[in-house]
Amino acid sequence: MASPRSRLYSRIVVATAAALLTAGCGPSKPPSTPPTGEPTPEGTDVELRYAAAVPLDQSLQVELTHTSLGMYLDSRIDVKATQTLSATGNQLKAAWTVESIEALELEGTADAKEIERTRSLITDHGAGTTLIDARGLVDIAGTEAEPTNEKRLQAQDEAAKQSPAGALLATVLFDELALPRLPEQPLRMEQPFEFEEETETVVTDLEQTLPTTTLVRFTLRRIDETGLAEIAIERASVAELDEDPAEAALEAAGEDPAADEGDAEDGAPYVRMETKTDGTLLFDAARGLPVSLELNRTERFVIGEEEVERNIGVRSTYEVR
């Protein structure tokens, strides 16, 4: 059973995430090519699901600005990629490959060698597999166990030692090659579908896991008679670690953390993460295929005395191969 403090903490985090959802970037802009056909009558339920056995060509642009102690990065990358959806049991396997790098810009603390190392990382290891259901919900354990993902993640870890800025851009790029998530239930025109998720965020530098609360909202703006739907996406997450896990374990065991002989200064630092995403998805509901995605995301991390801020812009288009 959760303690009163845990229940209170959960309410505070949810309230903060809800505030983020209604503040910041404001409503997302409509896409450059919205549905143009006759609108579907109001009151109609629209279900969005991915179809299997469909090869896609993807054009993806990622813009990343990162500011932290010792690193400033203003970057952009444009790639051409392929996506192949196939059925495997009750799941879909989305296999993606970066076919070419159309543009790559790294400005800030990166140098010319880092640009070439980043290009090599993406060219040599730009392939992966994501296991999802028909809504695009990722099977994390199954995805992590895929051999192509294991090799790529190892290469990313090695690259981060020599080229931290380029490895960061590559990591964001690879994450954005995953297909957009879809709402769990059918949508109705201008009636937001909102839900809350409790997950975990791993802070690899600290080897800590943060409880994370995420609020997600999908709103169907328009759908025409061809099945082309325009969906607004809003997402806000808050994760926080305000006590040393070792001290929490001692308290749970009925022991006094102050009596521990360890150095108090060696405890885990205060950690907090806030992210806010808003954007627009065009989805062909009749064929079960994405058409385009535009997202803007802001991220803020506080780790002890250090703050990290990131702004990420994503523009992606998909065409049947």
Side-chain angles (χ1 to χ4, degrees):
M1 181 181 294
S3 67
R5 179 184 181 280
S6 297
R7 289 197 295 268
L8 175 62
Y9 172 74
S10 178
R11 288 198 295 270
I12 292 173
V13 171
V14 171
T16 305
L20 283 172
L21 200 60
T22 57
C25 300
S28 54
K29 298 179 181 179
S32 55
T33 55
T36 56
E38 291 297 322
T40 297
E42 293 187 8
T44 302
D45 289 333
V46 178
E47 187 172 50
L48 307 177
R49 296 292 182 266
Y50 284 110
V54 178
L56 297 172
D57 288 326
Q58 180 180 8
S59 296
L60 174 61
Q61 179 186 97
V62 173
E63 296 179 335
L64 167 66
T65 301
H66 172 100
T67 304
S68 65
L69 183 64
M71 181 191 294
Y72 172 73
L73 177 64
D74 187 359
S75 61
R76 169 185 164 177
I77 186 168
D78 297 11
V79 301
K80 300 287 188 183
T82 56
Q83 295 264 4
T84 302
L85 278 168
S86 59
T88 171
N90 59 352
Q91 292 183 312
L92 295 175
K93 178 180 287 189
W96 54 265
T97 302
V98 176
E99 300 293 344
S100 64
I101 299 174
E102 304 297 303
L104 175 58
E105 300 174 7
L106 288 176
E107 297 182 0
T109 54
D111 57 24
K113 290 183 178 179
E114 188 156 4
I115 292 176
E116 291 309 310
R117 285 194 290 261
T118 303
R119 187 182 298 274
S120 296
L121 172 63
I122 296 170
T123 301
D124 297 341
H125 301 282
T129 301
T130 309
L131 298 180
I132 59 175
D133 64 10
R135 303 163 297 171
L137 183 62
V138 177
D139 174 356
I140 296 176
T143 297
E144 289 180 346
E146 285 288 322
T148 54
N149 296 333
E150 289 183 334
K151 293 179 181 178
R152 187 187 70 254
L153 290 172
Q154 290 174 0
Q156 289 174 233
D157 289 342
E158 288 300 317
K161 299 174 183 178
Q162 288 187 317
S163 306
L168 174 61
L169 177 61
T171 298
V172 173
L173 172 74
F174 294 151
D175 287 345
E176 297 302 335
L177 282 162
L179 291 173
R181 183 171 174 182
L182 305 175
E184 297 181 12
Q185 71 178 35
L187 300 178
R188 286 198 174 188
M189 192 71 63
E190 298 297 344
Q191 294 185 16
F193 168 56
E194 187 174 299
F195 61 93
E196 173 191 328
E197 291 182 325
E198 298 293 337
T199 56
E200 293 181 336
T201 299
V202 178
V203 183
T204 54
D205 291 348
L206 302 177
E207 297 183 351
Q208 298 288 353
T209 300
L210 279 61
T212 305
T213 299
T214 302
L215 295 182
V216 184
R217 180 186 298 153
F218 292 98
T219 306
L220 178 64
R221 284 181 173 153
R222 181 178 172 87
I223 182 169
D224 63 23
E225 80 281 1
T226 69
L228 184 59
E230 177 186 331
I231 305 101
I233 303 171
E234 299 167 275
R235 184 181 296 110
S237 297
V238 175
E240 188 169 33
L241 179 67
D242 58 358
E243 64 179 356
D244 189 337
E247 292 184 1
L250 290 172
E251 290 178 353
E255 300 180 29
D256 182 6
D260 186 36
E261 296 181 356
D263 186 352
E265 294 184 359
D266 291 336
Y270 170 77
V271 181
R272 180 178 175 84
M273 175 196 76
E274 295 179 0
T275 70
K276 184 179 185 299
T277 302
D278 72 286
T280 301
L281 170 67
L282 288 185
F283 192 83
D284 188 337
R287 297 193 297 171
L289 301 172
V291 176
S292 69
L293 177 69
E294 295 188 9
L295 292 177
N296 291 292
R297 183 164 72 251
T298 58
E299 301 178 348
R300 180 174 179 268
F301 304 87
V302 178
I303 303 176
E305 299 290 325
E306 183 178 350
E307 292 191 14
V308 178
E309 292 187 356
R310 292 177 190 156
N311 292 287
I312 300 170
V314 177
R315 294 174 180 81
S316 188
T317 59
Y318 308 85
E319 295 182 357
V320 176
R321 198 180 327 141

